[in-house]
């Protein structure tokens, strides 16, 4: 399933009447379209969003707020403190909003959150796609699908994220090697570069027990032709020959020395540090890593890096998979200023903000017309160009129990990696993982 392109956003902003009540049994009266019209009186709203750096190290959030306030001078947007990690942020927001807190009015949340937050009335329903087809047709179908739950949309897109393979172009040139198109080629190339002494590691990726490992697993399984669950996140499909091939390869990367033994402790930061420090030949990471790896102030390999879509397995076809990543703006269902909050969250998704983001930062815009325009991003961002050909893999975050499902995946695979990375243990791991995912799907706490 390739990233689907839709038409250019041209439409007006007419949200259908929406209900503040989510799916958790809240019986409060619905919000009308008039309730969420932009205010005419001065209003201040709080936006919870982690720091987003521009290409020159400035704060993209502040640039967006300044541009928004030129359009809506009576709405002041105030940045609020953000918990340090995604998981802590999700827990904090869950507790805060469930208790009825009116702030933050708008919060930037992970693309894996919508079903969970919608199911538990932690995000305002923003209308049906069919009610505003012209607006939503400007975004990839996979993005719209990921922010929808039971017929309603629960967030406005902010930025897209895809996974790429970053490689040391200088070392491939030095030894007359091609950029690998398959994982098997990459394994051979990586071992050769390790043997030359040019690098310590072949490939670094995220094997730490956490969501990034679920992303890696979903991609490798897709590369092998399989899937973790069906598209509705109801049927567990992971105990399969395709998943066995994927996990066997992941363990072999470690047991054969292509990836470090410590990869089971590597999060995104550790992998980027190893690659930017010149220790690794290949890196799997998100789009932001392009800018970081080529920053001469923080990277020893700046100017020596190339980027391509992830390889696939031999004989598995030509599609290059990436799990869908990205962050979107949710509106607090208890906000005292729904009109201002919706106006800001929606504006960030529209052309002016998306163009500002694409022109000044490493983040991929979600609006297709901006993402597909190389003149906006500039010729030095291959990740924008490559994204059009990525085959998107949706993690099963259509389930409101996705956090537990993901935990069942990354816990078992991480144990496999840190307990010796034995390919012979893959079968038992898949069986245990499938059982854990089924329990999580049914709402059983793990």
């Amino acid at each position: 399933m390739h990233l689907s392109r839709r038409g250019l956003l041209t439409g007006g902003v007419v949200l259908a009447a929406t209900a503040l009540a989510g799916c958790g049994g809240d019986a409060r009266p619905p919000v009308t379209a008039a309730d969420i019209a932009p205010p005419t009186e001065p209003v201040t709203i709080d936006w919870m969003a982690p720091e987003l750096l521009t290409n020159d190290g400035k704060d993209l959030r502040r640039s967006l707020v300044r541009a928004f306030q030129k359009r809506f001078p009576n709405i002041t947007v105030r940045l609020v403190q953000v918990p340090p990690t995604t998981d802590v942020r999700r827990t904090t927001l869950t507790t805060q909003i469930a208790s009825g807190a009116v702030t933050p009015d708008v919060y930037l949340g992970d693309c894996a959150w919508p079903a969970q937050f919608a199911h538990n009335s932690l995000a305002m329903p923003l209308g049906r796609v069919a009610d505003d087809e012209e607006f939503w047709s400007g975004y990839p179908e996979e993005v719209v699908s990921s922010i929808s739950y039971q017929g309603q949309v629960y967030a406005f897109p902010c930025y897209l994220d895809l996974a790429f393979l970053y490689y040391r172009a200088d070392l491939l040139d030095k030894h007359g090697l091609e950029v690998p198109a398959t994982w098997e080629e990459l394994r051979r190339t990586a071992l050769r570069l390790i043997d030359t002494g040019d690098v310590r590691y072949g490939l670094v990726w995220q094997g730490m027990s956490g969501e990034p490992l679920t992303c890696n697993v979903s991609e490798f399984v897709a590369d092998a032709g399989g899937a973790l669950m069906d598209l509705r996140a109801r049927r567990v499909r992971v105990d399969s020959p395709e998943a066995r091939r994927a996990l066997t390869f992941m363990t072999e990367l470690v047991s054969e020395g292509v990836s470090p033994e410590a990869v089971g402790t590597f999060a995104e930061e550790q992998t980027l540090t190893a690659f930017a420090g010149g220790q690794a030949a290949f890196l799997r990471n998100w789009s932001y890593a392009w800018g970081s790896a080529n920053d001469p102030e923080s990277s020893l390999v700046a100017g020596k890096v190339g980027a391509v879509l992830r390889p696939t397995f031999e004989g598995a076809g030509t599609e290059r998979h990436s799990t869908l990543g990205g962050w979107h703006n949710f509106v607090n269902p208890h906000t005292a200023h729904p009109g201002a909050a919706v106006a800001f969250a929606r504006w960030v998704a529209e052309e002016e903000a998306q163009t500002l983001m694409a022109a000044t930062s490493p983040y991929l815009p979600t609006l297709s017309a901006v993402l597909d325009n190389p003149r906006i991003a500039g010729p030095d961002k291959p990740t924008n160009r490559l994204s059009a050909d990525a085959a998107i893999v949706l993690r099963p975050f259509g389930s409101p129990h996705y956090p537990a499902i993901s935990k069942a995946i990354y816990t078992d695979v991480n144990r496999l990696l840190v307990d010796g990375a034995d390919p012979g243990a893959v079968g038992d791991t898949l069986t245990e993982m499938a059982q854990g995912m089924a329990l999580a799907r049914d709402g059983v706490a793990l």
Side-chain angles (χ1 to χ4, degrees):
M1 180 169 57
H2 285 272
L3 196 61
S4 302
R5 298 288 186 253
R6 298 186 180 206
L8 172 67
L9 165 65
T10 57
V13 181
V14 182
L15 287 173
T18 59
L20 272 177
C23 302
D26 194 327
R28 286 168 297 170
V31 172
T32 68
D35 291 330
I36 55 175
T40 56
E41 300 296 324
V43 164
T44 297
I45 60 172
D46 288 343
W47 181 32
M48 178 186 282
E51 186 174 50
L52 305 172
L53 293 180
T54 61
N55 295 326
D56 56 359
K58 296 179 180 176
D59 191 341
L60 174 63
R61 298 173 305 171
R62 298 187 186 282
S63 300
L64 290 171
V65 168
R66 282 195 296 271
F68 171 75
Q69 290 179 172
K70 287 183 179 177
R71 295 286 179 185
F72 296 85
N74 59 328
I75 303 176
T76 299
V77 179
R78 187 168 53 195
L79 293 171
V80 298
Q81 189 172 1
V82 178
T85 67
T86 299
D87 286 341
V88 174
R89 202 171 307 144
R90 176 167 56 187
T91 301
T92 302
L93 284 166
T94 299
T95 304
Q96 200 166 323
I97 297 175
S99 68
V102 298
T103 60
D105 301 277
V106 180
Y107 55 93
L108 195 62
D110 191 276
C111 65
W113 293 4
Q116 181 199 5
F117 276 54
H119 184 76
N120 294 290
S121 302
L122 302 172
M124 177 187 288
L126 300 167
R128 296 162 51 87
V129 171
D131 295 333
D132 203 357
E133 182 65 30
E134 192 171 16
F135 175 83
W136 291 112
S137 67
Y139 303 89
E141 290 179 355
E142 295 84 355
V143 172
V144 178
S145 173
S146 72
I147 57 178
S148 301
Y149 182 69
Q150 295 188 345
Q152 289 275 347
V153 176
Y154 281 87
F156 285 110
C158 182
Y159 68 86
L160 181 69
D161 225 344
L162 297 175
F164 298 92
L165 179 74
Y166 298 98
Y167 60 91
R168 287 285 302 278
D170 59 323
L171 296 184
L172 296 186
D173 289 342
K174 176 182 176 181
H175 297 286
L177 299 169
E178 299 291 330
V179 178
T182 68
W183 288 116
E184 290 81 359
E185 290 177 21
L186 184 143
R187 174 163 53 190
R188 293 191 292 271
T189 301
L191 289 172
R192 181 172 173 185
L193 291 175
I194 292 172
D195 287 342
T196 65
D198 286 318
V199 289
R200 182 178 179 185
Y201 308 130
L203 170 69
V204 287
W205 45 283
Q206 299 78 39
M208 189 180 77
S209 185
E211 187 62 29
L213 178 54
T214 298
C215 295
N216 278 266
V217 173
S218 66
E219 289 168 350
F220 274 118
V221 172
D223 294 338
L228 299 174
M229 298 182 76
D230 65 359
L231 290 177
R232 298 180 61 192
R234 293 301 305 162
R235 190 163 69 88
V236 176
R237 297 177 54 189
V238 76
D239 198 358
S240 67
E242 292 83 7
R244 179 184 292 270
R245 181 181 186 183
L247 262 65
T248 298
F249 183 79
M250 294 172 75
T251 57
E252 289 174 347
L253 287 174
V254 181
S255 62
E256 295 178 5
V258 176
S259 296
E261 290 183 0
V263 78
T265 66
F266 279 20
E268 292 170 18
E269 181 180 358
Q270 287 76 29
T271 57
L272 183 56
T273 298
F275 186 75
Q279 298 184 70
F282 298 100
L283 162 71
R284 180 267 179 208
N285 213 324
W286 301 104
S287 55
Y288 77 91
W290 172 257
S292 300
N294 282 294
D295 182 353
E297 295 186 3
S298 59
S299 173
L300 297 178
V301 298
K304 303 175 182 177
V305 177
V308 291
L309 292 172
R310 296 173 61 262
T312 189
F313 287 114
E314 289 179 355
T318 58
E319 287 196 322
R320 304 300 188 88
H321 297 100
S322 167
T323 191
L324 180 67
W327 288 72
H328 310 306
N329 278 308
F330 298 71
V331 176
N332 184 340
H334 306 296
T335 174
H337 309 293
V342 168
F344 175 69
R346 185 170 175 124
W347 177 85
V348 172
E350 294 180 328
E351 189 167 5
E352 182 179 1
Q354 294 282 296
T355 299
L356 175 63
M357 183 186 304
T360 63
S361 82
Y363 300 99
L364 296 175
T366 52
L367 188 61
S368 299
V370 178
L371 179 63
D372 291 343
N373 189 340
R375 290 176 298 175
I376 295 175
D380 297 331
K381 283 187 184 174
T383 49
N384 285 56
R385 171 175 46 80
L386 291 166
S387 65
D389 296 323
I392 300 298
V393 181
L394 290 176
R395 286 165 279 159
F397 42 51
S399 167
H401 306 298
Y402 174 72
I405 293 173
S406 179
K407 183 179 180 181
I409 297 167
Y410 64 67
T411 300
D412 283 329
V413 177
N414 178 260
R415 185 182 302 119
L416 176 69
L417 295 174
V418 300
D419 285 353
D422 177 13
V426 167
D428 289 343
T429 297
L430 287 173
T431 300
E432 293 171 9
M433 190 193 312
Q435 293 170 347
M437 291 171 66
L439 290 172
R441 173 204 59 198
D442 295 337
V444 177
L446 300 181

